[in-house]
Amino acid sequence: MRKSELIIDHIKDIPGLEMSLLPTPVHRLNNLSDRLKADIYCKRDDLTAFAFGGNKTRKLDYLVKDALVNGYDSLITFGAVQSNWCRITSIAGKVNGLDVFLVLEGIKPEKDTANLLLDKLAGADISFINSLERDDIIRQVEIKKQELEKAGRKPYYMPVGGSVAIGSVGYIRAMAEILEFSENSDVYFKNIIVASGSAGTQAGLVAGQVISGWKGSITGMAVSRARYEQEQNVFE
Ligand SMILES: Cc1ncc(COP(=O)(O)O)c(C=O)c1O
């Protein structure tokens, strides 16, 4: 069995939606490659298309399906005022018939712009918390979730970035796409370098590596934490 097939076989029974437009293309970055005297390619996960695309659509394919299969009636999550994650969640909830509750970190802006405007157009219920402390925010989300449950609702909680095991399945699948690209061309990758924030993207790729036995290296560039802390997050 090819390495990509090993991965697909491993996750085939995990139900997911097909919101993301996959596979995303892989482009050679000619100017950067010439300049650095290396062969550098970019997996264009900005082109997942759904709700203006980005890496979070892959996670939401599995998270929203999990919510639907398990009878949840809404999604609840949090993020920055201009969070891409919250934008895609708002739209994914809307098209799948789930109400969306967002707790946004920071002061309510005077004017709704960009992602905040899109969250509202998608009908998300938004509350603001004037704190950037993670504990305060998580407490606020928990209060909102309990209120909803008391009112008879069944909200599906997702941490920021959708970085829980089920969300990371989206990036296990991405690893299969990367390997399949190599299997269908003469381009073999030695290193994958990925931005690592809420950690689910890197964790999914690493899980795909473990399943397939791919011999290259995966390097996460931590965007918001020290290396040690981020490594723990990825392993968890
Ligand atoms: C393009 C891109 N790659 C990777 C990441 C990091 O993903 P994660 O939050 O799963 O670590 C982000 C985070 O927003 C991103 O926008």
Side-chain angles (χ1 to χ4, degrees):
M1 218 186 243
R2 301 194 309 177
K3 284 188 172 24
S4 62
E5 291 167 348
L6 273 175
I7 297 178
I8 295 301
D9 189 58
H10 206 85
I11 60 172
K12 67 177 186 307
D13 295 329
I14 303 174
L17 298 173
E18 300 286 334
M19 294 185 291
S20 310
L21 191 60
L22 303 178
T24 52
V26 176
H27 288 163
R28 186 173 189 276
L29 304 184
N30 291 332
N31 292 336
L32 198 62
S33 296
D34 289 350
R35 191 160 172 169
L36 298 178
K37 305 206 179 344
D39 273 323
I40 301 174
Y41 288 75
C42 179
K43 176 113 174 112
R44 296 292 309 274
D45 269 18
D46 53 319
L47 300 180
T48 55
F50 181 80
F52 300 111
N55 70 331
K56 306 299 186 281
T57 74
R58 289 186 185 267
K59 300 176 184 179
L60 283 160
D61 280 340
Y62 287 93
L63 289 161
V64 175
K65 184 68 178 182
D66 192 44
L68 292 169
V69 165
N70 290 295
Y72 289 86
D73 63 16
S74 48
L75 307 172
I76 182 165
T77 191
F78 62 97
V81 171
Q82 289 296 347
S83 161
N84 290 326
W85 158 248
C86 289
R87 176 195 77 234
I88 303 170
T89 298
S90 299
I91 298 171
K94 184 70 184 174
V95 302
N96 288 288
L98 298 170
D99 291 334
V100 174
F101 297 90
L102 301 177
V103 176
L104 300 184
E105 311 160 358
I107 300 169
K108 183 180 184 311
E110 279 179 18
K111 194 164 179 254
D112 299 335
T113 58
N115 283 340
L116 178 58
L117 180 61
L118 294 171
D119 299 343
K120 290 209 171 163
L121 286 174
D125 175 295
I126 298 174
S127 48
F128 292 87
I129 171 164
N130 189 7
S131 170
L132 297 177
E133 289 298 324
R134 198 37 65 91
D135 287 351
D136 292 345
I137 293 154
I138 289 178
R139 201 173 311 116
Q140 189 63 31
V141 175
E142 186 54 34
I143 290 168
K144 183 76 188 172
K145 183 166 169 278
Q146 284 175 8
E147 279 172 15
L148 290 165
E149 285 166 348
K150 269 197 201 133
R153 304 296 306 264
K154 197 175 173 197
Y156 182 85
Y157 169 72
M158 300 182 294
V160 68
S163 286
V164 284
I166 190 78
S168 292
V169 175
Y171 270 89
I172 297 180
R173 185 172 171 190
M175 189 65 195
E177 277 178 33
I178 293 168
L179 296 176
E180 193 178 21
F181 176 85
S182 290
E183 290 157 1
N184 294 334
S185 67
D186 55 0
V187 177
Y188 296 94
F189 299 112
K190 280 198 218 144
N191 315 102
I192 296 173
I193 298 174
V194 63
S196 198
S198 61
T201 299
Q202 190 182 358
L205 293 174
V206 170
Q209 176 179 34
V210 172
I211 295 164
S212 63
W214 178 68
K215 293 278 185 273
S217 70
I218 298 174
T219 304
M221 305 301 288
V223 297
S224 50
R225 277 178 207 89
R227 175 182 175 157
Y228 172 76
E229 199 187 335
Q230 188 65 2
E231 280 176 354
Q232 296 303 311
N233 289 342
V234 173
F235 287 131
E236 275 169 31

